Amino acid sequence: MCVDRDGCEIEGCSSSDEVRTLSGSMSPGLKSSPDLHPCKPGHKFRAALLRCRSPAAAAGILSFGNVLNYMDRYTVAGVLQDIQRHYEVKDSGVGLLQTVFICSFMVAAPIFGYLGDRFNRKVILSCGIFFWSIVTLSSSFISKEYYWLFVLSRGLVGIGESSYSSISPTIIGDLFTNNSRTMMLSVFYLAIPLGSGLGYILGACAKVAAGDWHWALRVSPVLGITAGTLILVFVPEPKRGSADQMGGRIKTRTSWACDMKALAKNRSYVFSSLASAAVSFATGAFGMMIPLYLARAQIVQKTAEACTKEICSSTDSLIFGAITCVTGLLGVVIGAATTRFCRQKTDRADPLVCAVSMLGSAIFICLIFVVAKKSIEGAYVCIFIGETLLFLNWAITADILMFVVIPTRRATAVAFQSFISHLLGDAGSPYLIGLISDALQASYATSALWRFLSLGYALMLCPFIIVLGGMFFLATALFFLDDREKAEKQLSQLTRPPSSVKVTAL
């Protein structure tokens, strides 16, 4: 009796034949055993699925899900002019869409962080994706009399997407370590600008193809359900800290209160979270308002007319989305390569690279508002360079967290960092920018030039916040080495090698 690699009996195989064992070596035929069983229908298919659950495949699927998360988030921004005309709301009204989304997102993040440190993570991820997909699809059927309901639906989408952003990086953190983890997190966080850019493109293209902006909200849900299914089938559930422990096993688990106390004392974590809030403030405001600002710039330059049709022009959303995709790719790749090179020069490379890129980004973002009135092409060039520098730090910030936080509290740390960055960042920035713009427009509401300038003056707040974020990354660099050493010592105290476990005979 012989067996194949899946543990099934091989018909017609004699005991004298050589067969390949599960370890891959060649051995004489095995005798019949009660553990062996004939292959049942679907057995080999299930075994093939298990072999496809490689760390690289899991990271790819999680990255695909992250692309969809951000694509769905910014699809609304791609059709923002149409939403504004359809529901007849002001700048602050459309800014409220993102604010409500982020508020629900950040409130739910700590809850999912707690669940992610204690329960099956991939089940939580899949349920979150299925939830926001259904809500997004349903929101496309809300009539113009119920704008409040449309705003509420964005809040519910934020809850679903919060589960994904809080938990998925920790699975990658448990599948890889060192430079491999940096590379995989870089791919994962590439989804932020890539998904955001694709959201603009999807919204604009779906609107034009269907002749109705509502169809922009009916594509990503189908892809979301597909991603949720792939996660359930192909993504493994690794043991927490398995990559860091090198075979060790965590023998104790700290309470949530203890986790929060430790995170509050972790200076690198606190300062990097504040820096992330500055990035979120800028990206949240820019993501919602820049296409609208560029459309008004072209009206001032008399290269375009104000939208009076049922379907507004999507050119600015398409160009901005394409720029965001390209700059996201460049930013993440350059950030990972620069950090890897600088680690050979200094152990503080991670926060220092983030700080320099933030300060450089602020300069070019300032220039956007200087050149936009005269040259829309010049504005696009400044956006390209500014976004590239800003996107350098996405994956590096996540890697900083992995270095200074032990594995058993990483989901909580990611979730709470998300809460802080959104609370102080993009939870209020789109609405705040809209309020400032509306207040400035009050005196000359009918002037196209003043509508353009007022939004530009409001957006000028962003570069100053980015500079503040660069200062926080410099502060992170001061404490990074000490906090990383503390995390390594604590991890060694919480683990023990399997050989030290005593087995007692029954």
Side-chain angles (χ1 to χ4, degrees), residues 192-462:
I192 296 178
L194 179 62
S196 302
L198 289 176
Y200 291 103
I201 296 171
L202 171 66
C205 292
K207 175 186 70 175
V208 172
D212 182 0
W213 69 267
H214 292 89
W215 280 93
L217 304 177
R218 297 170 185 170
V219 179
S220 57
V222 177
L223 299 174
I225 292 174
T226 302
T229 304
L230 289 174
I231 290 172
L232 280 177
V233 175
F234 291 107
V235 175
E237 175 65 18
K239 292 183 179 180
R240 292 164 177 84
S242 56
D244 299 87
Q245 296 168 49
M246 300 180 183
R249 187 173 65 184
I250 295 176
K251 59 181 180 181
T252 59
R253 184 177 296 279
T254 55
S255 65
W256 186 82
C258 182
D259 290 344
M260 295 305 299
K261 185 178 179 180
L263 292 175
K265 292 181 177 180
N266 191 323
R267 294 165 296 183
S268 296
Y269 173 77
V270 171
F271 282 121
S272 63
S273 297
L274 292 174
S276 296
V279 176
S280 295
F281 186 98
T283 55
F286 265 59
M288 290 296 288
M289 296 300 185
I290 277 291
L292 191 60
Y293 176 75
L294 295 175
R296 292 179 183 179
Q298 294 183 66
I299 294 173
V300 171
Q301 296 174 21
K302 300 187 183 304
T303 58
E305 297 181 356
C307 178
T308 56
K309 303 176 182 178
E310 183 67 25
I311 300 297
C312 298
S313 173
S314 303
T315 303
D316 297 301
S317 294
L318 284 170
I319 296 176
F320 184 71
I323 289 175
T324 302
C325 289
V326 175
T327 56
L329 174 62
L330 287 177
V332 171
V333 171
I334 294 173
T338 304
T339 304
R340 192 158 47 244
F341 173 77
C342 292
R343 281 175 183 169
Q344 301 173 8
K345 308 295 182 181
T346 173
D347 291 335
R348 304 179 193 271
D350 296 63
L352 288 177
V353 170
C354 291
V356 173
S357 67
M358 289 278 283
L359 296 175
S361 175
I363 296 173
F364 287 95
I365 288 177
C366 274
L367 291 175
I368 295 171
F369 310 109
V370 176
V371 303
K373 184 179 178 181
K374 298 294 183 181
S375 171
I376 197 70
E377 292 81 7
Y380 280 130
V381 171
C382 293
I383 290 172
F384 186 93
I385 300 174
E387 280 196 341
T388 300
L389 293 173
L390 192 62
F391 292 150
L392 248 69
N393 64 72
W394 283 117
I396 306 173
T397 304
D399 215 21
I400 290 173
L401 184 148
M402 299 295 173
F403 277 123
V404 301
V405 178
I406 62 173
T408 54
R409 60 174 63 116
R410 280 177 184 164
T412 298
V414 171
F416 195 69
Q417 185 176 79
S418 176
F419 177 83
I420 292 297
S421 64
H422 291 308
L423 176 65
L424 302 178
D426 53 355
S429 64
Y431 185 60
L432 177 62
I433 297 299
L435 279 179
I436 296 173
S437 177
D438 287 343
L440 293 173
Q441 288 180 46
S443 301
Y444 305 97
T446 58
S447 170
L449 175 61
W450 188 244
R451 293 184 72 222
F452 161 71
L453 291 176
S454 62
L455 185 55
Y457 292 149
L459 286 168
M460 276 293 290
L461 180 61
C462 294

Side-chain angles (χ1 to χ4, degrees), residues 101 135-136 138-139 142 148-158:
F101 172 92
V135 173
T136 298
S138 301
S139 69
I142 298 174
W148 64 269
L149 187 57
F150 187 76
V151 173
L152 177 62
S153 71
R154 297 309 297 171
L156 295 176
V157 171

Side-chain angles (χ1 to χ4, degrees), residues 169-181:
T170 66
I171 296 180
I172 295 177
D174 286 334
L175 291 172
F176 302 93
T177 186
N178 298 327
N179 286 333
S180 297
R181 184 170 64 193

